[in-house]
Amino acid sequence: MHWIKTLKYYLKSLGPGFIIASVVLGPGSITVSSRIGSEHGYAFLWVILLAAISMVIYTSMGSRFGVSNKDSILQSIAGNYGRWFSAVIGIAAFLAASSFQFGNNLGVGIAMEGITGVDERVWPLIFTPLAIVLLFWAKNLYKLLEKLMMVLVMVMIVAFFFNLVLTKPDVGEIAKGFVPSSFSFDSLDIIAALVGTTFVLHGALYQSYLAQKRGWKVGDIKKGLSDSYTGISLLALISVLIIITSASALYPNGITVNSAADMALQLEALFGSYAKVIFSIGLCSAAFSSLMVNAVMGGGLLADGLGLGSTMDEKMPKIFTTIALLMGMLIAVFFRGNIIYTLILAQASSILAVPLIAIGMFLILNNKKVMGKLKNNLWQNVLAVFGFLLISIMVYFMYGKIITYIQSLS
């Protein structure tokens, strides 16, 4: 029975990692993973692994800051490097979060239409006000989010795992997919999109706030790091499950996924109506969890970066969060155009703002006056620089893509 007590203790110590996983894995991530699996099979599984390693490094950096400081990370950056720097990082984080909100609202609509048959454009008008009600009237928003996200992440894992079991994938081919044999400069758009599904730096930055809200101190560092590793591992696992499902069920039949709804329909064609319902439940869990927490992160980081409050108990973080929620809802309801391409572009373009976040985290985590013995060591810096270079290369590539796309709209 000792192992049961150990498991219960371990689960109770988790929370922030689940919140980070839930915000990163939204419908944009699911769409990208589904599309790439259906078009390229298992070939790009290795990208998820690299992105997950980078995300683990920066999330653990956020945890180490959170347990060792009373001030928030953006307050500390403002005090050491200037308010302008924290403000720019806050704005960058808000823009990165906002780029996800469109997809989150679309995902809620697509999933609920798959479950109920009611038009997808109705659901953002229901779920966004619900999220705003939770934001303003929940007595302890953090505890509510922690419990809700843990449930939703587990629902996602179960739903997508059942779909995977139905596909009976080839284990040998899966193993080959983790070997980077498919790299070429022509595939950088695929790699950028997949990196964007896992390596989300405003989430890693927010881990420091979650650790502080939990009340963790230096003595809890192992607990904080374990939470970070678990959350990002679950995030990577869900992305891998979706790619494998799409690669084994759709790729051999030459079926290309054009949306998350299309993924559900294709599974229904292969396995029956219950597969569509299971997938839609997983998609809805991903969409609503990401819709809620992503807006909280974006609004909270913008307010703190500007020096207007660092917790959801304060006025301005709630106002900025509400703006992010309403922006995503309005765009989803009134948008007309190529939804799937815009979703994938938004997913990849979210990385445009994040090199600044990486620089800010790197500087403050190497500041001995701030971090003391918990400042980055050599290997942590090596891996952090690798993550920064990965993001920077993707940003350089995506800049041209976005300019071209904007020009095509005019």
Side-chain angles (χ1 to χ4, degrees):
M1 300 296 289
H2 177 70
W3 69 271
I4 295 178
K5 291 182 180 180
T6 302
L7 179 62
K8 285 182 178 179
Y9 174 80
Y10 181 69
L11 290 175
K12 284 183 179 179
S13 71
L14 299 177
F18 277 86
I19 292 178
I20 299 302
S22 67
V23 71
V24 174
L25 196 92
S29 300
I30 293 172
T31 299
V32 169
S33 299
S34 301
R35 175 77 177 251
I36 290 173
S38 71
E39 286 188 338
H40 304 280
Y42 308 105
F44 289 97
L45 286 171
W46 59 274
V47 178
I48 296 293
L49 184 61
L50 290 182
I53 291 171
S54 298
M55 186 63 176
V56 162
I57 290 301
Y58 278 89
T59 305
S60 64
M61 285 164 63
S63 289
R64 280 188 286 117
F65 182 92
V67 302
S68 58
N69 288 274
K70 291 182 179 179
D71 290 338
S72 74
I73 191 167
L74 287 183
Q75 288 170 356
S76 186
I77 288 173
N80 285 276
Y81 306 108
R83 172 60 63 187
W84 69 271
F85 193 23
S86 71
V88 170
I89 291 174
I91 293 168
F94 183 79
L95 292 175
S98 297
S99 74
F100 281 95
Q101 285 302 93
F102 165 67
N104 292 335
N105 279 274
L106 281 180
V108 165
I110 289 168
M112 291 305 296
E113 183 176 358
I115 296 169
T116 67
V118 177
D119 186 83
E120 64 185 60
R121 295 186 185 274
V122 172
W123 295 105
L125 297 172
I126 296 173
F127 278 87
T128 296
L130 175 61
I132 293 173
V133 167
L134 290 175
L135 175 67
F136 280 94
W137 279 277
K139 289 184 179 180
N140 191 324
L141 183 65
Y142 172 77
K143 285 188 176 179
L144 175 66
L145 289 177
E146 187 176 274
K147 292 177 180 178
L148 182 60
M149 296 314 120
M150 288 183 76
V151 171
L152 293 179
V153 168
M154 296 314 296
V155 168
M156 280 187 264
I157 291 174
V158 172
F160 297 135
F161 179 75
F162 271 111
N163 281 299
L164 175 67
V165 170
L166 290 170
T167 66
K168 299 178 181 178
D170 185 321
V171 176
E173 291 298 314
I174 292 173
K176 291 180 182 177
F178 286 101
V179 178
S181 58
S182 302
F183 175 80
S184 69
F185 287 103
D186 293 334
S187 63
L188 275 177
D189 56 340
I190 300 168
I191 295 171
L194 275 179
V195 168
T197 68
T198 305
F199 190 16
V200 180
L201 269 171
H202 70 280
L205 182 68
Y206 204 73
Q207 179 78 359
S208 64
Y209 294 81
L210 297 174
Q212 289 174 333
K213 195 67 178 177
R214 259 283 182 136
W216 287 343
K217 304 301 180 186
V218 174
D220 301 305
I221 185 62
K222 289 184 179 179
K223 188 187 296 182
L225 294 177
S226 176
D227 174 81
S228 298
Y229 301 152
T230 301
I232 304 309
S233 296
L234 290 174
L235 163 65
L237 173 63
I238 295 172
S239 295
V240 166
L241 288 177
I242 295 168
I243 291 176
I244 293 174
T245 299
S246 186
S248 51
L250 308 180
Y251 177 69
N253 299 312
I255 300 171
T256 300
V257 169
N258 291 311
S259 70
D262 196 24
M263 176 71 167
L265 288 172
Q266 300 300 349
L267 288 176
E268 180 182 29
L270 292 168
F271 307 121
S273 60
Y274 60 89
K276 178 185 176 182
V277 173
I278 292 172
F279 185 86
S280 295
I281 290 171
L283 178 60
C284 186
S285 299
F288 183 67
S289 64
S290 187
L291 179 147
M292 180 69 193
V293 185
N294 184 64
V296 167
M297 287 185 184
L301 290 171
L302 175 58
D304 195 28
L306 296 174
L308 300 175
S310 60
T311 73
M312 283 298 133
D313 299 324
E314 298 171 271
K315 180 180 178 181
M316 291 310 297
K318 287 184 176 181
I319 290 175
F320 286 136
T321 298
T322 302
I323 291 171
L325 286 166
L326 292 174
M327 283 171 55
M329 180 191 75
L330 292 172
I331 294 173
V333 170
F334 295 106
F335 177 80
R336 296 293 183 274
N338 187 331
I339 289 178
I340 181 60
Y341 185 73
T342 305
L343 256 179
I344 292 176
L345 191 65
Q347 187 71 36
S349 65
S350 66
I351 64 177
L352 283 174
V354 298
L356 286 171
I357 301 174
I359 292 170
M361 292 186 73
F362 186 85
L363 288 174
I364 207 71
L365 265 293
N366 279 284
N367 189 321
K368 191 170 183 179
K369 182 180 71 174
V370 174
M371 293 303 301
K373 293 180 180 179
L374 289 181
K375 80 180 193 68
N376 277 9
N377 60 32
L378 176 62
W379 280 109
Q380 287 165 339
N381 277 332
V382 168
L383 291 172
V385 169
F386 168 78
F388 174 75
L389 292 175
L390 179 64
I391 281 289
S392 298
I393 292 169
M394 297 304 101
V395 166
Y396 177 78
F397 176 77
M398 286 309 302
Y399 178 78
K401 281 273 184 181
I402 291 172
I403 293 299
T404 301
Y405 180 60
I406 291 174
Q407 289 175 344
S408 71
L409 295 176
S410 59

Short mmCIF file of all heavy atoms in Angstrom, two decimals, residues 69-127:
data_model
loop_
_atom_site.label_atom_id
_atom_site.label_comp_id
_atom_site.label_asym_id
_atom_site.label_seq_id
_atom_site.Cartn_x
_atom_site.Cartn_y
_atom_site.Cartn_z
N ASN A 69 12.27 33.35 -5.27
CA ASN A 69 12.07 34.80 -5.24
C ASN A 69 10.65 35.16 -4.82
O ASN A 69 9.69 34.45 -5.17
CB ASN A 69 12.34 35.40 -6.62
CG ASN A 69 13.82 35.42 -6.98
OD1 ASN A 69 14.54 36.35 -6.62
ND2 ASN A 69 14.27 34.39 -7.67
N LYS A 70 10.54 36.29 -4.10
CA LYS A 70 9.21 36.80 -3.73
C LYS A 70 8.64 37.67 -4.84
O LYS A 70 7.44 37.65 -5.10
CB LYS A 70 9.31 37.61 -2.43
CG LYS A 70 9.62 36.78 -1.19
CD LYS A 70 9.65 37.65 0.05
CE LYS A 70 9.93 36.82 1.29
NZ LYS A 70 9.98 37.65 2.53
N ASP A 71 9.49 38.46 -5.49
CA ASP A 71 9.04 39.28 -6.61
C ASP A 71 8.74 38.40 -7.81
O ASP A 71 9.34 37.33 -7.98
CB ASP A 71 10.11 40.31 -6.99
CG ASP A 71 10.28 41.39 -5.95
OD1 ASP A 71 9.34 41.61 -5.16
OD2 ASP A 71 11.37 42.00 -5.91
N SER A 72 7.83 38.85 -8.67
CA SER A 72 7.57 38.11 -9.90
C SER A 72 8.76 38.25 -10.83
O SER A 72 9.60 39.14 -10.67
CB SER A 72 6.31 38.64 -10.59
OG SER A 72 6.58 39.90 -11.19
N ILE A 73 8.83 37.39 -11.83
CA ILE A 73 9.98 37.39 -12.73
C ILE A 73 10.04 38.68 -13.55
O ILE A 73 11.12 39.23 -13.80
CB ILE A 73 9.98 36.13 -13.63
CG1 ILE A 73 11.31 36.00 -14.37
CG2 ILE A 73 8.79 36.13 -14.59
CD1 ILE A 73 11.50 34.64 -15.03
N LEU A 74 8.88 39.21 -13.96
CA LEU A 74 8.89 40.44 -14.75
C LEU A 74 9.20 41.65 -13.86
O LEU A 74 9.83 42.62 -14.33
CB LEU A 74 7.56 40.63 -15.48
CG LEU A 74 7.33 39.69 -16.66
CD1 LEU A 74 6.02 40.00 -17.37
CD2 LEU A 74 8.49 39.76 -17.67
N GLN A 75 8.80 41.61 -12.60
CA GLN A 75 9.20 42.67 -11.68
C GLN A 75 10.72 42.66 -11.48
O GLN A 75 11.36 43.72 -11.43
CB GLN A 75 8.50 42.49 -10.33
CG GLN A 75 7.02 42.80 -10.35
CD GLN A 75 6.33 42.38 -9.06
OE1 GLN A 75 6.93 41.81 -8.17
NE2 GLN A 75 5.03 42.68 -8.97
N SER A 76 11.28 41.47 -11.39
CA SER A 76 12.72 41.34 -11.21
C SER A 76 13.47 41.81 -12.45
O SER A 76 14.50 42.48 -12.36
CB SER A 76 13.07 39.89 -10.90
OG SER A 76 14.44 39.75 -10.58
N ILE A 77 12.95 41.46 -13.63
CA ILE A 77 13.57 41.92 -14.89
C ILE A 77 13.51 43.44 -14.97
O ILE A 77 14.48 44.10 -15.37
CB ILE A 77 12.88 41.26 -16.09
CG1 ILE A 77 13.28 39.77 -16.16
CG2 ILE A 77 13.25 41.97 -17.40
CD1 ILE A 77 12.53 38.98 -17.23
N ALA A 78 12.35 44.02 -14.57
CA ALA A 78 12.21 45.48 -14.60
C ALA A 78 13.22 46.14 -13.65
O ALA A 78 13.83 47.16 -13.98
CB ALA A 78 10.78 45.86 -14.21
N GLY A 79 13.41 45.55 -12.46
CA GLY A 79 14.33 46.12 -11.48
C GLY A 79 15.78 46.01 -11.89
O GLY A 79 16.59 46.89 -11.54
N ASN A 80 16.13 44.96 -12.62
CA ASN A 80 17.52 44.74 -12.98
C ASN A 80 17.90 45.24 -14.37
O ASN A 80 19.06 45.60 -14.60
CB ASN A 80 17.84 43.25 -12.89
CG ASN A 80 17.97 42.75 -11.47
OD1 ASN A 80 19.03 42.87 -10.85
ND2 ASN A 80 16.89 42.22 -10.92
N TYR A 81 16.93 45.27 -15.30
CA TYR A 81 17.26 45.60 -16.69
C TYR A 81 16.38 46.71 -17.27
O TYR A 81 16.55 47.07 -18.44
CB TYR A 81 17.15 44.35 -17.56
CG TYR A 81 17.98 43.20 -17.04
CD1 TYR A 81 17.38 42.09 -16.46
CD2 TYR A 81 19.38 43.24 -17.08
CE1 TYR A 81 18.14 41.04 -15.96
CE2 TYR A 81 20.13 42.20 -16.58
CZ TYR A 81 19.51 41.10 -16.02
OH TYR A 81 20.26 40.07 -15.51
N GLY A 82 15.46 47.23 -16.48
CA GLY A 82 14.64 48.35 -16.95
C GLY A 82 13.19 47.94 -17.19
O GLY A 82 12.91 46.85 -17.67
N ARG A 83 12.29 48.89 -16.85
CA ARG A 83 10.85 48.63 -17.05
C ARG A 83 10.52 48.41 -18.53
O ARG A 83 9.65 47.62 -18.88
CB ARG A 83 10.05 49.80 -16.48
CG ARG A 83 8.55 49.76 -16.79
CD ARG A 83 7.87 48.52 -16.24
NE ARG A 83 7.93 48.46 -14.78
CZ ARG A 83 7.52 47.41 -14.07
NH1 ARG A 83 7.08 46.33 -14.69
NH2 ARG A 83 7.62 47.42 -12.76
N TRP A 84 11.25 49.10 -19.40
CA TRP A 84 10.98 48.97 -20.83
C TRP A 84 11.12 47.52 -21.28
O TRP A 84 10.35 47.03 -22.12
CB TRP A 84 11.92 49.85 -21.65
CG TRP A 84 13.36 49.38 -21.62
CD1 TRP A 84 14.32 49.73 -20.72
CD2 TRP A 84 13.97 48.46 -22.52
NE1 TRP A 84 15.50 49.08 -20.99
CE2 TRP A 84 15.32 48.30 -22.09
CE3 TRP A 84 13.53 47.75 -23.64
CZ2 TRP A 84 16.21 47.45 -22.75
CZ3 TRP A 84 14.41 46.91 -24.29
CH2 TRP A 84 15.73 46.76 -23.85
N PHE A 85 12.13 46.81 -20.71
CA PHE A 85 12.39 45.43 -21.11
C PHE A 85 11.25 44.52 -20.65
O PHE A 85 10.76 43.68 -21.41
CB PHE A 85 13.72 44.97 -20.54
CG PHE A 85 14.24 43.68 -21.14
CD1 PHE A 85 13.83 43.25 -22.39
CD2 PHE A 85 15.15 42.89 -20.44
CE1 PHE A 85 14.31 42.07 -22.95
CE2 PHE A 85 15.64 41.70 -20.97
CZ PHE A 85 15.21 41.29 -22.23
N SER A 86 10.80 44.69 -19.40
CA SER A 86 9.71 43.86 -18.90
C SER A 86 8.42 44.19 -19.66
O SER A 86 7.60 43.29 -19.91
CB SER A 86 9.51 44.06 -17.39
OG SER A 86 8.96 45.32 -17.10
N ALA A 87 8.24 45.46 -20.03
CA ALA A 87 7.04 45.84 -20.78
C ALA A 87 7.02 45.18 -22.15
O ALA A 87 5.98 44.66 -22.60
CB ALA A 87 6.97 47.36 -20.92
N VAL A 88 8.17 45.19 -22.82
CA VAL A 88 8.25 44.56 -24.15
C VAL A 88 7.99 43.06 -24.05
O VAL A 88 7.29 42.48 -24.88
CB VAL A 88 9.63 44.84 -24.79
CG1 VAL A 88 9.81 44.00 -26.05
CG2 VAL A 88 9.76 46.31 -25.14
N ILE A 89 8.54 42.42 -23.00
CA ILE A 89 8.30 40.99 -22.81
C ILE A 89 6.82 40.73 -22.53
O ILE A 89 6.23 39.77 -23.05
CB ILE A 89 9.17 40.45 -21.65
CG1 ILE A 89 10.64 40.46 -22.05
CG2 ILE A 89 8.75 39.02 -21.28
CD1 ILE A 89 11.59 40.07 -20.93
N GLY A 90 6.20 41.58 -21.70
CA GLY A 90 4.77 41.43 -21.41
C GLY A 90 3.92 41.56 -22.66
O GLY A 90 2.98 40.78 -22.87
N ILE A 91 4.25 42.53 -23.51
CA ILE A 91 3.52 42.72 -24.76
C ILE A 91 3.73 41.52 -25.68
O ILE A 91 2.79 41.01 -26.31
CB ILE A 91 3.97 44.02 -25.46
CG1 ILE A 91 3.54 45.23 -24.63
CG2 ILE A 91 3.39 44.11 -26.87
CD1 ILE A 91 4.16 46.54 -25.06
N ALA A 92 4.98 41.03 -25.75
CA ALA A 92 5.29 39.86 -26.58
C ALA A 92 4.50 38.64 -26.11
O ALA A 92 3.95 37.88 -26.92
CB ALA A 92 6.79 39.57 -26.54
N ALA A 93 4.43 38.46 -24.79
CA ALA A 93 3.69 37.32 -24.24
C ALA A 93 2.20 37.44 -24.55
O ALA A 93 1.53 36.45 -24.87
CB ALA A 93 3.91 37.24 -22.73
N PHE A 94 1.67 38.66 -24.46
CA PHE A 94 0.24 38.88 -24.76
C PHE A 94 -0.06 38.58 -26.23
O PHE A 94 -1.07 37.96 -26.55
CB PHE A 94 -0.14 40.32 -24.43
CG PHE A 94 -1.60 40.62 -24.64
CD1 PHE A 94 -2.54 40.23 -23.70
CD2 PHE A 94 -2.04 41.29 -25.78
CE1 PHE A 94 -3.89 40.50 -23.89
CE2 PHE A 94 -3.38 41.57 -25.97
CZ PHE A 94 -4.31 41.18 -25.03
N LEU A 95 0.83 39.02 -27.12
CA LEU A 95 0.64 38.76 -28.55
C LEU A 95 0.73 37.26 -28.85
O LEU A 95 -0.05 36.73 -29.64
CB LEU A 95 1.68 39.52 -29.37
CG LEU A 95 1.55 41.04 -29.37
CD1 LEU A 95 2.73 41.68 -30.11
CD2 LEU A 95 0.23 41.48 -29.99
N ALA A 96 1.68 36.58 -28.21
CA ALA A 96 1.81 35.14 -28.40
C ALA A 96 0.56 34.43 -27.92
O ALA A 96 0.04 33.52 -28.60
CB ALA A 96 3.04 34.62 -27.65
N ALA A 97 0.04 34.83 -26.76
CA ALA A 97 -1.18 34.22 -26.23
C ALA A 97 -2.37 34.51 -27.14
O ALA A 97 -3.20 33.64 -27.40
CB ALA A 97 -1.45 34.73 -24.82
N SER A 98 -2.44 35.74 -27.64
CA SER A 98 -3.57 36.13 -28.50
C SER A 98 -3.60 35.34 -29.80
O SER A 98 -4.67 35.05 -30.34
CB SER A 98 -3.50 37.64 -28.80
OG SER A 98 -3.61 38.39 -27.62
N SER A 99 -2.42 34.97 -30.30
CA SER A 99 -2.37 34.21 -31.55
C SER A 99 -2.98 32.81 -31.38
O SER A 99 -3.41 32.19 -32.34
CB SER A 99 -0.93 34.10 -32.05
OG SER A 99 -0.19 33.18 -31.27
N PHE A 100 -3.04 32.32 -30.14
CA PHE A 100 -3.66 31.03 -29.87
C PHE A 100 -5.18 31.14 -29.72
O PHE A 100 -5.90 30.15 -29.92
CB PHE A 100 -3.10 30.44 -28.58
CG PHE A 100 -1.76 29.80 -28.71
CD1 PHE A 100 -0.62 30.51 -28.42
CD2 PHE A 100 -1.63 28.49 -29.10
CE1 PHE A 100 0.64 29.93 -28.53
CE2 PHE A 100 -0.38 27.90 -29.22
CZ PHE A 100 0.75 28.62 -28.94
N GLN A 101 -5.68 32.32 -29.31
CA GLN A 101 -7.08 32.41 -28.92
C GLN A 101 -8.06 32.16 -30.06
O GLN A 101 -9.13 31.60 -29.87
CB GLN A 101 -7.36 33.78 -28.30
CG GLN A 101 -6.82 33.93 -26.89
CD GLN A 101 -7.37 32.88 -25.94
OE1 GLN A 101 -6.78 31.83 -25.74
NE2 GLN A 101 -8.52 33.15 -25.35
N PHE A 102 -7.68 32.58 -31.26
CA PHE A 102 -8.52 32.33 -32.43
C PHE A 102 -8.75 30.83 -32.60
O PHE A 102 -9.88 30.35 -32.74
CB PHE A 102 -7.85 32.93 -33.67
CG PHE A 102 -8.41 32.46 -34.97
CD1 PHE A 102 -9.70 32.79 -35.35
CD2 PHE A 102 -7.66 31.67 -35.83
CE1 PHE A 102 -10.23 32.36 -36.56
CE2 PHE A 102 -8.17 31.24 -37.04
CZ PHE A 102 -9.45 31.59 -37.40
N GLY A 103 -7.66 30.08 -32.56
CA GLY A 103 -7.75 28.62 -32.71
C GLY A 103 -8.50 27.97 -31.56
O GLY A 103 -9.23 27.00 -31.76
N ASN A 104 -8.33 28.49 -30.34
CA ASN A 104 -9.03 27.91 -29.20
C ASN A 104 -10.54 28.02 -29.35
O ASN A 104 -11.29 27.08 -29.06
CB ASN A 104 -8.59 28.61 -27.91
CG ASN A 104 -7.15 28.31 -27.55
OD1 ASN A 104 -6.60 27.29 -27.93
ND2 ASN A 104 -6.51 29.22 -26.83
N ASN A 105 -11.00 29.19 -29.81
CA ASN A 105 -12.44 29.39 -30.01
C ASN A 105 -12.97 28.53 -31.15
O ASN A 105 -14.06 27.94 -31.05
CB ASN A 105 -12.73 30.86 -30.28
CG ASN A 105 -12.79 31.68 -29.01
OD1 ASN A 105 -13.82 31.78 -28.37
ND2 ASN A 105 -11.66 32.27 -28.64
N LEU A 106 -12.19 28.44 -32.24
CA LEU A 106 -12.60 27.56 -33.34
C LEU A 106 -12.68 26.11 -32.87
O LEU A 106 -13.60 25.38 -33.23
CB LEU A 106 -11.60 27.66 -34.50
CG LEU A 106 -11.72 28.87 -35.42
CD1 LEU A 106 -10.64 28.79 -36.49
CD2 LEU A 106 -13.08 28.96 -36.06
N GLY A 107 -11.71 25.71 -32.06
CA GLY A 107 -11.68 24.34 -31.57
C GLY A 107 -12.88 24.00 -30.71
O GLY A 107 -13.46 22.92 -30.82
N VAL A 108 -13.27 24.93 -29.83
CA VAL A 108 -14.46 24.73 -29.01
C VAL A 108 -15.68 24.52 -29.90
O VAL A 108 -16.49 23.61 -29.69
CB VAL A 108 -14.69 25.93 -28.06
CG1 VAL A 108 -16.10 25.90 -27.49
CG2 VAL A 108 -13.68 25.93 -26.93
N GLY A 109 -15.81 25.37 -30.94
CA GLY A 109 -16.95 25.27 -31.83
C GLY A 109 -16.98 23.97 -32.61
O GLY A 109 -18.02 23.30 -32.71
N ILE A 110 -15.82 23.60 -33.18
CA ILE A 110 -15.73 22.37 -33.97
C ILE A 110 -16.06 21.15 -33.12
O ILE A 110 -16.81 20.26 -33.52
CB ILE A 110 -14.31 22.23 -34.56
CG1 ILE A 110 -14.09 23.28 -35.66
CG2 ILE A 110 -14.08 20.83 -35.13
CD1 ILE A 110 -12.64 23.41 -36.09
N ALA A 111 -15.49 21.11 -31.91
CA ALA A 111 -15.69 19.95 -31.03
C ALA A 111 -17.15 19.84 -30.59
O ALA A 111 -17.74 18.75 -30.62
CB ALA A 111 -14.78 20.07 -29.81
N MET A 112 -17.74 20.95 -30.18
CA MET A 112 -19.12 20.91 -29.70
C MET A 112 -20.10 20.61 -30.83
O MET A 112 -21.11 19.94 -30.62
CB MET A 112 -19.49 22.22 -29.02
CG MET A 112 -18.77 22.45 -27.69
SD MET A 112 -19.01 21.09 -26.50
CE MET A 112 -20.77 21.20 -26.24
N GLU A 113 -19.79 21.07 -32.04
CA GLU A 113 -20.63 20.70 -33.18
C GLU A 113 -20.54 19.20 -33.44
O GLU A 113 -21.54 18.55 -33.76
CB GLU A 113 -20.21 21.47 -34.43
CG GLU A 113 -21.10 21.16 -35.64
CD GLU A 113 -20.76 21.99 -36.86
OE1 GLU A 113 -19.85 22.84 -36.78
OE2 GLU A 113 -21.40 21.78 -37.90
N GLY A 114 -19.32 18.63 -33.27
CA GLY A 114 -19.16 17.19 -33.46
C GLY A 114 -19.92 16.38 -32.43
O GLY A 114 -20.39 15.27 -32.71
N ILE A 115 -20.08 16.94 -31.22
CA ILE A 115 -20.79 16.23 -30.15
C ILE A 115 -22.30 16.45 -30.22
O ILE A 115 -23.09 15.52 -30.04
CB ILE A 115 -20.27 16.68 -28.77
CG1 ILE A 115 -18.79 16.28 -28.61
CG2 ILE A 115 -21.09 16.05 -27.63
CD1 ILE A 115 -18.12 16.91 -27.40
N THR A 116 -22.72 17.71 -30.51
CA THR A 116 -24.14 18.06 -30.41
C THR A 116 -24.83 18.28 -31.76
O THR A 116 -26.06 18.22 -31.84
CB THR A 116 -24.30 19.35 -29.59
OG1 THR A 116 -23.71 20.45 -30.32
CG2 THR A 116 -23.62 19.23 -28.24
N GLY A 117 -24.06 18.59 -32.80
CA GLY A 117 -24.67 18.92 -34.10
C GLY A 117 -25.04 20.38 -34.24
O GLY A 117 -25.46 20.82 -35.31
N VAL A 118 -24.88 21.18 -33.17
CA VAL A 118 -25.20 22.61 -33.21
C VAL A 118 -24.05 23.37 -33.87
O VAL A 118 -22.88 23.08 -33.62
CB VAL A 118 -25.44 23.16 -31.79
CG1 VAL A 118 -25.70 24.66 -31.82
CG2 VAL A 118 -26.61 22.43 -31.14
N ASP A 119 -24.39 24.35 -34.73
CA ASP A 119 -23.40 25.08 -35.53
C ASP A 119 -22.22 25.56 -34.69
O ASP A 119 -22.38 26.09 -33.58
CB ASP A 119 -24.06 26.29 -36.19
CG ASP A 119 -23.11 27.00 -37.14
OD1 ASP A 119 -23.00 26.55 -38.31
OD2 ASP A 119 -22.45 27.96 -36.71
N GLU A 120 -21.00 25.42 -35.24
CA GLU A 120 -19.77 25.71 -34.51
C GLU A 120 -19.63 27.16 -34.11
O GLU A 120 -18.99 27.49 -33.11
CB GLU A 120 -18.56 25.30 -35.35
CG GLU A 120 -18.40 26.09 -36.63
CD GLU A 120 -17.25 25.59 -37.49
OE1 GLU A 120 -17.26 24.43 -37.88
OE2 GLU A 120 -16.34 26.40 -37.76
N ARG A 121 -20.24 28.10 -34.84
CA ARG A 121 -20.07 29.52 -34.54
C ARG A 121 -20.88 29.97 -33.32
O ARG A 121 -20.69 31.08 -32.82
CB ARG A 121 -20.45 30.36 -35.77
CG ARG A 121 -19.52 30.12 -36.94
CD ARG A 121 -19.79 31.05 -38.10
NE ARG A 121 -18.95 30.70 -39.23
CZ ARG A 121 -17.71 31.13 -39.41
NH1 ARG A 121 -17.16 31.92 -38.51
NH2 ARG A 121 -17.03 30.76 -40.47
N VAL A 122 -21.80 29.12 -32.86
CA VAL A 122 -22.59 29.46 -31.67
C VAL A 122 -21.76 29.30 -30.39
O VAL A 122 -21.88 30.09 -29.45
CB VAL A 122 -23.84 28.55 -31.59
CG1 VAL A 122 -24.56 28.74 -30.26
CG2 VAL A 122 -24.77 28.83 -32.76
N TRP A 123 -20.88 28.30 -30.35
CA TRP A 123 -20.22 27.90 -29.11
C TRP A 123 -19.24 28.91 -28.54
O TRP A 123 -19.18 29.06 -27.30
CB TRP A 123 -19.57 26.53 -29.30
CG TRP A 123 -20.61 25.48 -29.55
CD1 TRP A 123 -20.92 24.89 -30.74
CD2 TRP A 123 -21.53 24.94 -28.60
NE1 TRP A 123 -21.96 24.00 -30.60
CE2 TRP A 123 -22.36 24.02 -29.29
CE3 TRP A 123 -21.74 25.15 -27.23
CZ2 TRP A 123 -23.37 23.31 -28.64
CZ3 TRP A 123 -22.74 24.45 -26.60
CH2 TRP A 123 -23.54 23.54 -27.30
N PRO A 124 -18.46 29.66 -29.36
CA PRO A 124 -17.61 30.69 -28.75
C PRO A 124 -18.42 31.74 -27.98
O PRO A 124 -17.94 32.30 -26.99
CB PRO A 124 -16.90 31.32 -29.96
CG PRO A 124 -16.86 30.21 -30.96
CD PRO A 124 -18.15 29.48 -30.79
N LEU A 125 -19.65 31.99 -28.43
CA LEU A 125 -20.52 32.95 -27.76
C LEU A 125 -21.03 32.43 -26.42
O LEU A 125 -21.54 33.20 -25.59
CB LEU A 125 -21.72 33.29 -28.66
CG LEU A 125 -21.37 33.96 -29.99
CD1 LEU A 125 -22.61 34.07 -30.88
CD2 LEU A 125 -20.77 35.35 -29.76
N ILE A 126 -20.90 31.13 -26.19
CA ILE A 126 -21.30 30.52 -24.92
C ILE A 126 -20.09 30.33 -24.00
O ILE A 126 -20.12 30.70 -22.82
CB ILE A 126 -22.00 29.16 -25.16
CG1 ILE A 126 -23.31 29.39 -25.94
CG2 ILE A 126 -22.26 28.44 -23.84
CD1 ILE A 126 -23.99 28.11 -26.38
N PHE A 127 -19.00 29.76 -24.55
CA PHE A 127 -17.86 29.41 -23.72
C PHE A 127 -17.03 30.62 -23.28
O PHE A 127 -16.48 30.63 -22.19
CB PHE A 127 -16.97 28.40 -24.45
CG PHE A 127 -17.46 26.99 -24.34
CD1 PHE A 127 -18.38 26.49 -25.23
CD2 PHE A 127 -17.03 26.16 -23.31
CE1 PHE A 127 -18.85 25.18 -25.13
CE2 PHE A 127 -17.48 24.86 -23.19
CZ PHE A 127 -18.40 24.37 -24.10
#
